[in-house]
Amino acid sequence: MAFLQVRDIVEHVQSMRQRVRALAQLRCSHPPDEMIAAYLDQAQEHDRQMHDCVEDRLDAVDEAVLQTWIQFPDTQSLEREIEELSEAPASGEPKNQSDLPPERALQRVLALDQRILGLYETAAAQTQSMRAKEFFEQLLMMEQQKARA
């Protein structure tokens, strides 16, 4: 476990989510049906809106909250999963990841994205600061509300 500031955690989560969404666009660049294409378009718009919302929250929150240090777990396993999905096939899958059926690629990307979002839950649980805990819980609530919209 490493110690990171709240600001660094948020930036790291946003960066990983951006990479995963870009990977989804790449893996499903020629979706086999309109439903997957519509989902990808909706997910891209969702990400844009969430990025704006997170930036607004970062601007609105007290700087002391953003500078709060939290003991945070290593995210190397998530980073490796992102790399593996972008470069090499998992066992039993096509030799070339781009040959991975778009439905399967999308399933893997969605599962990975949910695990990345779980980092906000982990951060909220790891901090002793009530203000930092509330900040991460608000980010999660915003994400859930946007997902329902």
Side-chain angles (χ1 to χ4, degrees):
M1 285 200 174
F3 283 92
L4 296 174
Q5 288 184 317
V6 168
R7 176 190 319 275
D8 297 330
I9 293 169
V10 172
E11 289 174 359
H12 187 59
V13 168
Q14 283 188 301
S15 172
M16 284 195 301
R17 292 193 77 206
Q18 183 178 18
R19 289 174 46 208
V20 166
R21 289 294 186 223
L23 184 56
Q25 291 294 332
L26 176 67
R27 293 290 172 234
C28 300
S29 59
H30 301 291
D33 61 45
E34 291 179 22
M35 189 170 80
I36 290 178
Y39 172 79
L40 291 172
D41 289 343
Q42 183 180 13
Q44 188 174 24
E45 178 61 19
H46 170 83
D47 282 350
R48 187 192 61 72
Q49 290 176 1
M50 278 308 300
H51 179 76
D52 293 346
C53 288
V54 170
E55 290 300 316
D56 289 346
R57 287 294 307 141
L58 287 172
D59 291 342
V61 73
D62 184 10
E63 188 65 27
V65 172
L66 297 177
Q67 293 179 1
T68 302
W69 290 91
I70 299 174
Q71 190 172 7
F72 196 70
D74 186 359
T75 60
Q76 286 183 351
S77 65
L78 286 171
E79 296 284 350
R80 275 193 303 275
E81 283 186 57
I82 294 169
E83 288 301 316
E84 287 171 5
L85 189 56
S86 65
E87 293 177 359
S91 62
E93 291 186 345
K95 292 180 182 177
N96 183 339
Q97 273 293 351
S98 62
D99 293 339
L100 190 63
E103 296 89 353
R104 178 74 176 120
L106 190 56
Q107 285 177 332
R108 289 183 64 187
V109 164
L110 290 173
L112 188 55
D113 189 58
Q114 287 304 304
R115 289 188 49 221
I116 292 169
L117 274 178
L119 294 174
Y120 285 152
E121 292 174 354
T122 300
Q126 291 293 109
T127 186
Q128 299 298 316
S129 165
M130 283 308 295
R131 292 174 61 204
K133 180 185 284 294
E134 289 171 0
F135 175 75
F136 283 115
E137 288 171 351
Q138 288 171 353
L139 291 179
L140 282 166
M141 189 171 30
M142 285 182 348
E143 182 70 37
Q144 291 166 351
Q145 289 172 345
K146 279 289 182 196
R148 285 188 218 132

